[in-house]
Amino acid sequence: MANERLREALLRNGLDLDHVARATGVDPKTVERWITKGRIPYPRHRHTIASMVRETENYLWPDAVATERKAEIAESEVVKVYPHRNNIPADLWDRLLNDATEHIEVLSLAALFLVERPTFAKELRTKAENGTRVRLLFGDPTAREAARRSEEEQLGKGTVAARIRNALAFVRPLAEVPGIEVRLHKTTLYNSVFRFDDEMIVNTHVYGFPGAHAPALHLRRLSAGDLFETYSESLETVWAGAKRATF
């Protein structure tokens, strides 16, 4: 069975059989078999190719890594666990934002703690102008899900919707900046996800607690890992079903 994920990843990055053959030190026909017949390369070759196309080994070859090994790698993807999101040092958020050059993605309801930072909008604008892809996903303030979250967190009626509108006011100047997209979703959000290239903060949602008081994971993407990729795919799913924000 052909490996369409590998084929698409190579095409997307402008790579052909010869490029991969030279990088891995194998014959082009071997590379062709990896694609057309779904043959699985040796681990050292998988790592090289994954780096070339900027994908994880687990995405390109889902069956290549044993379940036990995936569990071990997942543990290594966790940089640190914070008992509450508000325990995350401010300088970590600064570093993640400053270091990102390819992807900045936010999936949340409001994320006011982040967007209300005095320099946040300016930093995102500068990042986009330098080629970083910025995608911001906020909850739809008119959706039932926003009202339900106010109830679940034992807040006043309409509190979450008001927070979302405040967040949108902060990012409104970015709506027409090339490279920045803002969308609204109506999902029941189980986690807020903040991605900065190959690092990520996942803020779990706990019934009855506001996000600031819920645990958070600091993850770092590993080539053969599955944990980072799981949250990234979740973000992609929400993004696909969200609508463009209108200001």
Side-chain angles (χ1 to χ4, degrees):
M1 185 176 181
N3 189 331
E4 296 300 337
R5 290 185 177 185
L6 177 57
R7 188 199 308 275
E8 190 276 334
L10 293 174
L11 290 173
R12 175 164 28 89
N13 287 276
L15 302 172
D16 58 22
L17 300 182
D18 290 333
H19 285 116
V20 180
R22 286 194 297 271
T24 56
V26 303
D27 188 272
K29 288 193 175 297
T30 298
V31 180
E32 184 178 16
R33 286 192 287 271
W34 291 342
I35 299 170
T36 61
K37 297 185 181 300
R39 302 282 176 81
I40 298 177
Y42 289 123
R44 65 180 183 276
H45 295 150
R46 296 200 303 266
H47 181 74
T48 298
I49 297 169
S51 297
M52 292 173 69
V53 300
R54 300 177 182 179
E55 291 288 357
T56 64
E57 292 178 45
N58 191 59
Y59 170 78
L60 296 171
W61 301 281
D63 300 324
V65 182
T67 302
E68 296 79 6
R69 177 62 180 147
K70 286 182 179 180
E72 293 175 359
I73 296 171
E75 290 182 12
S76 298
E77 286 187 280
V78 180
V79 178
K80 188 166 184 176
V81 177
Y82 295 92
H84 311 291
R85 191 198 66 214
N86 59 8
N87 292 140
I88 299 175
D91 60 359
L92 175 58
W93 291 107
D94 291 337
R95 202 259 307 159
L96 293 172
L97 186 58
N98 291 337
D99 290 354
T101 59
E102 296 181 3
H103 303 282
I104 295 175
E105 299 174 331
V106 172
L107 167 60
S108 67
L109 285 170
L112 262 180
F113 76 96
L114 188 63
V115 300
E116 68 184 1
R117 291 158 59 100
T119 61
F120 183 72
K122 182 179 178 180
E123 289 172 320
L124 288 192
R125 180 186 295 272
T126 300
K127 289 290 182 180
E129 290 173 349
N130 290 329
T132 304
R133 186 186 185 192
V134 179
R135 299 195 300 178
L136 306 175
L137 268 165
F138 297 100
D140 186 333
T142 67
R144 169 59 186 156
E145 288 74 14
R148 184 179 296 119
R149 183 52 59 87
S150 291
E151 298 169 5
E152 292 173 350
E153 293 186 4
Q154 302 177 29
L155 303 172
K157 183 177 181 181
T159 299
V160 170
R163 288 178 177 173
I164 295 171
R165 291 188 174 92
N166 287 343
L168 293 174
F170 279 106
V171 302
R172 182 178 290 113
L174 304 175
E176 302 303 324
V177 176
I180 297 180
E181 298 178 82
V182 183
R183 292 189 183 183
L184 302 179
H185 67 85
K186 294 185 179 182
T187 59
T188 299
L189 203 58
Y190 301 107
N191 301 279
S192 292
V193 178
F194 308 89
R195 180 186 178 183
F196 306 88
D197 288 350
D198 289 337
E199 293 187 71
M200 179 184 289
I201 299 293
V202 177
N203 185 192
T204 66
H205 290 180
V206 179
Y207 187 89
F209 289 85
H213 298 164
L217 309 176
H218 177 191
L219 306 180
R220 186 184 299 273
R221 186 187 197 193
L222 295 179
S223 180
D226 197 28
L227 187 58
F228 185 104
E229 203 65 26
T230 296
Y231 288 110
S232 182
E233 289 182 14
S234 175
L235 188 151
E236 289 293 340
T237 300
V238 178
W239 181 264
K243 66 178 182 179
R244 182 178 179 182
T246 55
F247 296 96

